Amino acid sequence: MTEFDTDDSRGGAARFRPVKSADRVLAILEWLAAKGESQSLSEISRDLEIPVSSLHAILRTMERRGWLETDPTGIRFGIGVEALRVGSAYARADDALARAEPILDWLSDQTGEAVHYGRLEGAHIVYLAKRESRHPLRIHSSIGRRIPAHAAALGKAILAGHSDADVSAILDSPLPALTRRTRTSVKSLLRDLARARKLGYATETEESDQGLGCVAVAVPGRMPPRDAISLAVPTARLNATRVRELAALLREAQRGLAEGVTTPRPLSDTGFLRDLD
């Protein structure tokens, strides 16, 4: 039986044994991306449990192909430019993201706040696009960042489009805490999702990062949703009125995406603030 054969005695479930060398290469890339900075051979070996004797050849091969780069000492490894090229190709080929780009620009122009486009991958949200805040006090985030879906307004906006049973299946319990305000039980998260369904948007305050609040809506066109757009604001600039204003803009952006409009109406023309009273 090959690595890709199926075993009919187990209900047709596919039997698959990962290729060890390929599995290690991908594990290295994912681990370094999560770390966000270069790491030594011994650190990579220890954390990924790859013998140094095997790891050295893998790292040098990845460096030779441009997937990794070394620091000036030559002994610390970080993500290389080839990873950026492939990641950029993914974003360029994504039709949903391409349609949303003008809407992200519009939200940035309207608010001056950080705008994020995220996608649900397993139990996490991955940032696929971002518009920087124009304010001196701003948040720090990056394209490609992964955060637990339950701790982010982006994740809540997407999960609200799933049934409670599906949400429980997607997430592991107990939920990991990123801050003291993160929801750590599925039951408490489901209450947030019920509220998001009622309002048409999701929120979080300091559940993913201290000093950060977010408002988000799901991207229309797919059920259950897979993508969402958020506005992220330091809590020093965020109050109930501002949340309602941001929610109104996001809902208008959502409508624009559904109708194929690249420049939604100005906030003063939408009537959403009255709707939210």
Side-chain angles (χ1 to χ4, degrees):
M1 181 176 290
T2 70
E3 292 173 348
F4 298 96
D5 286 338
T6 60
D7 183 354
D8 292 334
S9 66
R10 298 179 59 191
R15 291 173 59 113
F16 169 73
R17 295 187 302 276
V19 177
K20 182 178 288 187
S21 58
D23 202 49
R24 285 175 169 175
V25 166
L26 297 175
I28 291 165
L29 287 171
E30 292 168 357
W31 185 79
L32 286 172
K35 287 293 183 181
E37 58 185 10
S38 61
Q39 303 289 318
S40 69
L41 184 146
S42 60
E43 291 169 329
I44 300 171
S45 174
R46 182 187 65 244
D47 280 20
L48 295 182
E49 299 180 348
I50 302 174
V52 170
S53 57
S54 302
L55 180 61
H56 185 267
I58 293 173
L59 294 178
R60 292 304 179 189
T61 301
M62 294 173 69
E63 179 190 8
R64 183 170 177 268
R65 296 293 296 267
W67 286 94
L68 297 183
E69 295 177 350
T70 56
D71 70 349
T73 68
I75 60 174
R76 296 182 68 83
F77 298 83
I79 295 293
V81 71
E82 188 66 12
L84 173 63
R85 188 185 68 82
V86 172
S88 298
Y90 173 85
R92 290 195 304 272
D94 191 281
D95 290 341
L97 180 57
R99 287 193 298 271
E101 292 285 359
I103 295 291
L104 304 184
D105 293 336
W106 178 80
L107 285 168
S108 177
D109 290 342
Q110 291 287 310
T111 67
E113 305 291 357
V115 186
H116 292 108
Y117 186 104
R119 175 163 296 166
L120 183 68
E121 292 290 344
H124 288 77
I125 289 293
V126 179
Y127 290 159
L128 299 185
K130 177 186 178 183
R131 301 294 186 269
E132 293 284 357
S133 169
R134 297 195 299 271
H135 295 278
L137 178 61
R138 64 181 67 185
I139 66 166
H140 297 284
S141 60
S142 58
I143 295 173
R145 182 190 179 194
R146 287 166 55 91
I147 57 175
H150 69 276
L154 285 166
K156 291 182 183 182
I158 295 170
L159 293 173
H162 292 67
S163 69
D164 287 356
D166 285 345
V167 171
S168 298
I170 291 170
L171 304 177
D172 295 324
S173 186
L175 306 174
L178 276 63
T179 74
R180 63 181 180 83
R181 302 192 66 169
T182 306
R183 306 290 188 261
T184 55
S185 74
V186 173
K187 184 177 180 180
S188 62
L189 176 65
L190 291 178
R191 287 195 292 267
D192 284 358
L193 300 186
R195 182 173 182 271
R197 294 182 191 112
K198 180 180 179 181
L199 294 175
Y201 62 91
T203 64
E204 62 103 343
T205 304
E206 296 188 318
E207 294 175 43
S208 60
D209 295 280
Q210 295 286 350
L212 174 68
C214 294
V215 187
V217 296
V219 172
R222 177 171 174 161
M223 286 303 295
R226 185 185 180 192
D227 300 350
I229 297 173
S230 74
L231 290 164
V233 185
T235 52
R237 290 202 300 273
L238 197 61
N239 54 35
T241 299
R242 186 57 172 161
V243 167
R244 291 167 62 245
E245 291 173 351
L246 298 178
L249 283 164
L250 283 165
R251 288 174 62 184
E252 188 62 22
Q254 188 182 49
R255 178 183 292 182
L257 283 170
E259 298 175 352
V261 176
T262 58
T263 305
R265 290 172 292 171
L267 179 59
S268 58
D269 296 337
T270 67
F272 275 135
L273 287 180
R274 294 190 304 272
D275 296 343
L276 293 174
D277 283 339

